[in-house]
Amino acid sequence: PSLNVATIWTANPVKEGEAAARGAIKTDGYMNFRNPVEKAMLQQWLRLTKKGALEEAKQVLRHVLNSQERRLVHYEGQYNHVLCKERNHGIPHADMELAFDLELSERVLSIAYDHAQSHRLPYYNFEVRCTQRDDAMLSVCNGRDTMWIDFQACAGNMQKSYFGEMEDLYTPLGYRKHWAKGMDHMDPEKIMVQYPQLPQFMQIMHELDPEHKFSNKHVDFFFKSISPSSSMTGDGKEDSSFLYAQAKKVESPLKRRADHKCTLQELQMRVKALPGNRE
């Protein structure tokens, strides 16, 4: 963002040796997103940015991008090897990936661009990708073609404030979140209301796991966020299987069209109105 440069990666199916015959580099393993020299330059960029030498840092970053463009401009490899990896020359960092309805892509990118013009980012890039819609109940792509944007920050304290700031900026657009990226930087209520098939999922979960054997504190943290009450076990611990039972009872009234989001307040009111519920 600091250079106003976008690098676009494309991958096309070919027969073995076909692209190499046209001048592509043939690789027998994973392509490295950066080589040792590029890693050293990027570490220099980090040091310069930390000192506030931003113009000098931009020049170093241009050298990194130019080197990558020359090295990765055209190569051929096995289908699961052609996507570049940071496994050998990575820079320690954290990331958070938000997913949006593809129709909102222009607004999503505009927000990211405008923010980058007035803020110093804690890493040198962010990544964008798109995936097709599906019908898996808790899939991020449920019911909509999806645009993802991955925000990155050098490992450290800055990532918490940066990720929180980006979440706040994008909350009005109704993002969903990659289930394995940045989940410790979020409000679960904002996430769970984005899944129209959540009540059906909870019903199935209750039917297949009535004794709550295949859950954990992380899972409970999300599902408890949509209920105003919980049950207590004899040892004083919360029994989130109670929540599954309540969700099973309210599943029918909550059936909606796939593109309709049930609000947290709607779901809470239905659960709270059930017999036997308590504050």
Side-chain angles (χ1 to χ4, degrees):
S2 62
L3 302 180
N4 290 329
V5 172
T7 302
I8 301 174
W9 302 84
T10 61
N12 301 293
V14 295
K15 295 180 180 179
E16 185 173 357
E18 181 181 344
R22 299 197 302 268
I25 298 172
K26 185 72 166 64
T27 176
D28 295 323
Y30 285 103
M31 289 295 292
N32 288 311
F33 186 61
R34 63 179 64 91
N35 61 25
V37 174
E38 293 160 357
K39 177 180 179 179
M41 287 192 290
L42 188 54
Q43 290 172 323
Q44 181 185 7
W45 173 84
L46 291 169
R47 289 191 293 270
L48 291 170
T49 300
K50 189 175 182 179
K51 292 194 306 182
L54 302 184
E55 291 303 317
E56 187 177 354
K58 287 181 180 180
Q59 292 300 321
V60 173
L61 188 54
R62 288 190 179 95
H63 289 312
V64 174
L65 296 181
N66 290 338
S67 176
Q68 289 178 322
E69 288 177 3
R70 291 192 301 269
R71 185 170 58 86
L72 303 173
V73 65
H74 193 195
Y75 58 91
E76 175 188 326
Q78 187 172 300
Y79 74 95
N80 60 324
H81 289 168
V82 295
L83 180 63
C84 290
K85 297 288 185 179
E86 291 196 32
R87 60 174 59 204
N88 292 327
H89 308 296
I91 302 294
H93 68 276
D95 61 343
M96 173 188 74
E97 194 168 22
L98 307 183
F100 302 86
D101 190 318
L102 185 61
E103 295 182 357
L104 299 175
S105 57
E106 185 174 348
R107 293 176 61 189
V108 172
L109 292 175
S110 294
I111 290 173
Y113 177 82
D114 291 343
H115 178 268
Q117 302 313 300
S118 57
H119 295 76
R120 184 192 305 175
L121 303 186
Y123 205 57
Y124 75 99
N125 69 340
F126 52 78
E127 299 172 0
V128 175
R129 62 188 177 104
C130 298
T131 50
Q132 192 173 27
R133 71 178 62 202
D134 60 41
D135 59 0
M137 290 183 174
L138 290 191
S139 168
V140 172
C141 302
N142 180 287
R144 67 190 193 188
D145 294 332
T146 299
M147 172 196 165
W148 305 73
I149 182 166
D150 185 84
F151 297 101
Q152 303 176 358
C154 294
N157 294 330
M158 186 177 294
Q159 69 194 50
K160 294 182 178 180
S161 58
Y162 175 58
F163 290 164
E165 185 176 1
M166 301 314 294
E167 285 180 332
D168 290 342
L169 284 175
Y170 283 111
T171 293
L173 299 189
Y175 63 80
R176 297 172 183 170
K177 207 169 189 182
H178 192 300
W179 287 108
K181 294 184 179 181
M183 297 306 287
D184 53 339
H185 302 282
M186 49 84 69
D187 179 351
E189 293 182 1
K190 295 178 181 178
I191 300 298
M192 301 306 279
V193 297
Q194 297 297 326
Y195 294 92
Q197 291 182 285
L198 178 61
Q200 294 95 313
F201 179 86
M202 294 178 67
Q203 176 183 356
I204 294 172
M205 187 163 55
H206 172 70
E207 292 173 352
L208 298 181
D209 186 21
E211 297 183 6
H212 193 45
K213 290 183 178 180
F214 295 96
S215 188
N216 54 44
K217 292 181 179 180
H218 179 74
V219 173
D220 294 344
F221 177 67
F222 286 91
F223 286 104
K224 191 171 67 172
S225 73
I226 65 171
S227 174
S229 62
S230 61
S231 178
M232 303 299 292
T233 62
D235 57 4
K237 296 181 179 179
E238 292 182 345
D239 180 8
S240 56
S241 62
F242 173 80
L243 172 57
Y244 304 159
Q246 306 311 303
K248 181 179 179 181
K249 295 177 183 178
V250 302
E251 187 270 338
S252 295
L254 288 177
K255 285 185 177 178
R256 305 289 174 88
R257 292 179 293 109
D259 61 349
H260 179 77
K261 296 188 290 294
C262 173
T263 67
L264 174 67
Q265 288 75 21
E266 288 178 302
L267 188 55
Q268 285 181 332
M269 288 176 63
R270 284 166 172 77
V271 173
K272 192 172 182 179
L274 292 170
N277 247 1
R278 52 202 178 281
E279 293 292 342

